Amino acid sequence: MTLPVADTWFQTRALDARTILITEPHVHPIFSANIHLVLGRDADLLIDSGMGIAPLRPVVDAARPDREKPVICLSTHTHVDHIGSAHEFEQRLVHPLEAEDLAAPEPYSLVSADISKPLVDLFAQAGYPPLWTYLIDAIPLPGYNPADYSLTGAPATGTLDEGDTVDLGDWTAEVLHLPGHSPGQIGLWHAASGTLFGADAIYDGPLIFDGPGMSIPDYIATLTRLRALPVTQVHGGHDPAFGPERLHQIVDHYLDLWGAA
Ligand SMILES: [Zn+2]
């Protein structure tokens, strides 16, 4: 099977004056995560870094008005679709519970046949479309072989936990520890604008809560907590942004599903 060569691997779109969304449209929906770039006065913040199939750094730098500023790469958690390009950035932050995984991630394959049956079943049960032959429907460059894909370890240069802040000089967000989907998942709460970067704790698509390292009781506490935030907008780890009403609908749906409503 020959895959076509993509015109561009990443898609970049400004969400507001300082927030840029970068996506990988040729990655299967399960693994196509949002990469958010927040521009700051003293530093720029990259929230997650995609699959690591094509170099992300040039795309991030092209979107930054001032490339002399440092870029802080924050990994919300260490699932494959959020850490692929973390190694391309000098400052790498993650929750202590997932620092080991960031330094030495579990090997992952773009060949769907290599993915374990329990995981394939988990994705299907959650409501995702069936996997393709590969996790991509195009290649980033001529001659790219999806079978050669591997994740590069990127030891954290610092850790972030509940109550810490990320300060870009003119934009400060609070770190929220949001376990459930993964033990050390973190989100960011920008109280001044009511913006939540919810990572994979909350997005407008099928949530994944039944796999290795996941905990429904933790997830119930996380979603209950997020529901109480005075949000104006949520930027999740996947899918388009949404507002408070949709947040409440999503949370209520899952709490009901888990018998926690
Ligand atoms: Zn995840």
Side-chain angles (χ1 to χ4, degrees):
M1 173 181 181
T2 313
L3 295 173
V5 179
D7 288 341
T8 53
W9 189 255
F10 294 100
Q11 220 163 55
T12 300
R13 188 161 67 87
L15 298 178
D16 58 47
R18 70 159 85 232
T19 314
I20 293 150
L21 172 65
I22 304 170
T23 54
E24 292 179 282
H26 293 291
V27 174
H28 187 280
I30 299 170
F31 295 93
S32 187
N34 289 332
I35 301 163
H36 289 101
L37 175 65
V38 182
L39 304 175
R41 188 192 67 201
D42 303 336
D44 299 328
L45 172 68
L46 189 71
I47 304 171
D48 289 335
S49 59
M51 289 288 290
I53 292 167
L56 174 62
R57 183 65 185 253
V59 177
V60 168
D61 279 344
R64 303 198 307 135
D66 178 1
R67 294 179 199 185
E68 300 300 312
K69 277 181 205 165
V71 189
I72 302 163
C73 176
L74 182 161
S75 297
T76 60
H77 63 304
T78 51
H79 288 160
V80 57
D81 45 337
H82 298 261
I83 59 164
S85 287
H87 65 96
E88 297 174 41
F89 300 89
E90 300 81 16
Q91 291 192 46
R92 299 180 294 270
L93 304 178
V94 71
H95 189 276
L97 288 175
E98 302 198 18
E100 230 171 273
D101 287 339
L102 190 64
E106 293 232 356
Y108 221 92
S109 173
L110 296 184
V111 182
S112 299
D114 293 342
I115 296 180
S116 75
K117 172 98 171 66
L119 267 188
V120 172
D121 291 346
L122 175 68
F123 300 147
Q125 276 162 19
Y128 281 100
L131 291 176
W132 308 325
T133 304
Y134 300 107
L135 301 186
I136 50 179
D137 66 1
I139 51 176
L141 292 167
Y144 180 91
N145 182 357
D148 294 341
Y149 171 80
S150 69
L151 276 172
T152 303
T157 59
T159 56
L160 288 173
D161 206 340
E162 174 71 28
D164 287 341
T165 54
V166 174
D167 186 357
L168 306 182
D170 58 349
W171 185 96
T172 304
E174 185 188 331
V175 174
L176 309 178
H177 180 209
L178 304 173
H181 173 82
S182 81
Q185 177 145 224
I186 50 177
L188 285 180
W189 171 236
H190 184 246
S193 66
T195 302
L196 171 69
F197 289 91
D200 279 5
I202 183 106
Y203 51 81
D204 196 359
L207 301 183
I208 305 281
F209 50 84
D210 226 357
M214 303 185 188
S215 156
I216 291 176
D218 285 352
Y219 218 146
I220 289 170
T222 284
L223 289 187
T224 302
R225 176 183 187 194
L226 295 181
R227 197 189 193 289
L229 286 176
V231 304
T232 58
Q233 57 181 344
V234 182
H235 297 307
H238 297 260
D239 303 301
F242 53 93
E245 277 146 47
R246 185 69 187 131
L247 168 69
H248 295 164
Q249 279 174 3
I250 295 167
V251 170
D252 292 348
H253 169 79
Y254 284 96
L255 293 184
D256 190 47
L257 183 74
W258 299 329

